[in-house]
Amino acid sequence: MKFIKCFVIFVVVLTACKTKKSLIDSSVLAEEMSAKKVARKHVAANFDKKTVDAKLKASFNNGKLKQSFSVSFKMKKDEVIWLKGTKFITLFKAKITPTSVRFYSSLNKTYFDGDFSMLQKILGTDINFNQLQNLLLGQSLMNVKKKKQEVIIQNNSYVLSPNEPEKLFDIFFSVNPSHFKLDKQSIVNSRKNQRLDVVYPLYNVFDGVVFPSEIKIKAKQPGSFTNIDFSLRSVEFNTDVNTSFSIPKGYKQIKI
């Protein structure tokens, strides 16, 4: 009897812990709302913790290489993004700051130490540190309050687009009516036949924070594509994170 009682208590506690992860009401319907209000609510939903320490499962496919691996993702907001990919052994490490991108591959014995040109080549669009950070947090790559927006309701999302389109590309943000993080964002450069789509199929609540549990990145440009999928395994906020980084000796530098 004592064992049964303890088991029941364990199940109740476990269920309660799981409930804390999923407090989002997915049944909320998008109602008529001004673009200005949608933009304001999206900005207000921005991530407000100091650090992220997460474990992810990732898959990468560019037509030449297809691989799944685990990723350790650490971030000091507005300061540094640190990534380590592993599959039995360390595959790569990367440290990204507002001014630099440092990366090395243990498989190829190569490294990159420079600016954002590497990420721009992978994603097919110009991107800076703040935009990359927003991409990983479910926030818009562009400041939706900086320019006047138009809004339509599509597939139960508020789709924002600049009232005056950008000269070189079109950009769209699909905002979820429940938590006002993004369902999707797209940057399309028709002249160069380039497209970047970032989809957020699932969010969960962790310690009161709405955080992406899945991210699907699809980048296309003439003659190439890159697909990167992330699924969240665990996450903690406001902990001490170690983002130390050094390039091993003997590695060959990549020039872009």
Side-chain angles (χ1 to χ4, degrees), residues 37-52:
K37 188 173 182 179
V38 173
R40 186 170 66 246
K41 283 181 170 289
H42 174 63
V43 172
N46 196 10
F47 183 79
D48 62 356
K49 302 298 182 182
K50 293 181 180 179
T51 67
V52 176

Side-chain angles (χ1 to χ4, degrees), residues 123-141:
L123 298 177
T125 186
D126 290 343
I127 191 167
N128 58 36
F129 179 87
N130 186 62
Q131 291 170 332
L132 177 62
Q133 179 176 261
N134 284 354
L135 184 154
L136 295 170
L137 296 173
Q139 291 295 128
S140 56
L141 294 176

Side-chain angles (χ1 to χ4, degrees), residues 95-97 99-103 112-116 118-119:
K95 184 174 183 178
I96 304 163
T97 70
T99 58
S100 68
V101 174
R102 306 184 73 200
F103 165 91
F112 176 83
D113 190 352
D115 56 21
F116 278 77
M118 170 175 271
L119 293 178

